[in-house]
Amino acid sequence: MGDHKEQPLRVGAAVRRRRRSLELTLAVVAERSGLSVPFLSQIENDRARPSTGSLEKVADALRTTAVELLAAADPACSVDVVRAEVTEPVPGPEPHSRSLVRGHHQMHASEFTGDHDAGREFQYRNDQLMYVADGAVEIEAEGRAYRLGRGDTLYLTGGVRHRWRATVADTRVVVVAVAEHIEAVRDRDRGRKR
């Protein structure tokens, strides 16, 4: 009761809008992402649903994040419940991520389960908070390594390059961030100049 109708996220329109705003062709995005033009066309027309890995490749090619593309996939709403995916068990060592917030909002949250590409570097425009719900992670940021266990958090100011990896099986990390479309960094800088 009070939930939105359970519908799969349709990211095609969000991918197309982002690609067009950057004035890129499907061929350029295909070259950058390593995915085929027909597959990208199917994604944009919601005839194919990309895996997490494919969506991250598309997001990287479009200079954004998978979370942002997913967030732009649904219209904004004032109250929304995102239910845990109890029907789809997460396989042991395989990484899994899910958006905890649907729609185009000022804040986004995602849950990452398992490990992912530890060599992948992240840099978000706005601030973010990483919370270790279960397990343990090692995070490299600003030339230092931080080890976090269950219940620990790490706050990263916008623009800080970082990478992280799970150091324990079945680790779950919740990342809460100010959305990329918000000009929080510019506002913060303006506040310092005063």
Side-chain angles (χ1 to χ4, degrees), residues 150-190:
R150 184 175 184 219
D152 291 341
T153 61
L154 180 78
Y155 188 91
L156 295 162
T157 302
V160 171
R161 291 182 185 276
H162 63 284
R163 67 184 81 219
W164 64 275
R165 67 180 184 90
T167 57
V168 174
D170 299 323
T171 292
R172 283 188 316 126
V173 176
V174 175
V175 177
V176 180
V178 175
E180 291 287 312
H181 69 275
I182 302 296
E183 296 286 337
V185 172
R186 183 176 294 160
D187 291 343
R188 183 176 52 236
D189 292 341
R190 203 177 295 145

Side-chain angles (χ1 to χ4, degrees), residues 88-167:
E88 294 182 28
V90 177
E94 291 298 313
H96 175 75
S97 68
R98 71 181 181 108
S99 181
L100 302 176
V101 178
R102 290 185 287 217
H104 197 65
H105 297 288
Q106 294 183 8
M107 182 178 294
H108 294 289
S110 295
E111 176 185 64
F112 298 90
T113 304
D115 208 351
H116 67 283
D117 180 4
R120 183 170 181 212
E121 186 173 71
F122 298 91
Q123 181 181 27
Y124 296 98
R125 181 166 123 183
N126 295 318
D127 296 1
Q128 72 173 21
L129 176 81
M130 296 179 76
Y131 170 74
V132 181
D134 282 313
V137 298
E138 186 173 86
I139 301 168
E140 292 178 35
E142 296 188 324
R144 293 186 58 196
Y146 301 89
R147 293 187 179 170
L148 281 71
R150 184 175 184 219
D152 291 341
T153 61
L154 180 78
Y155 188 91
L156 295 162
T157 302
V160 171
R161 291 182 185 276
H162 63 284
R163 67 184 81 219
W164 64 275
R165 67 180 184 90
T167 57

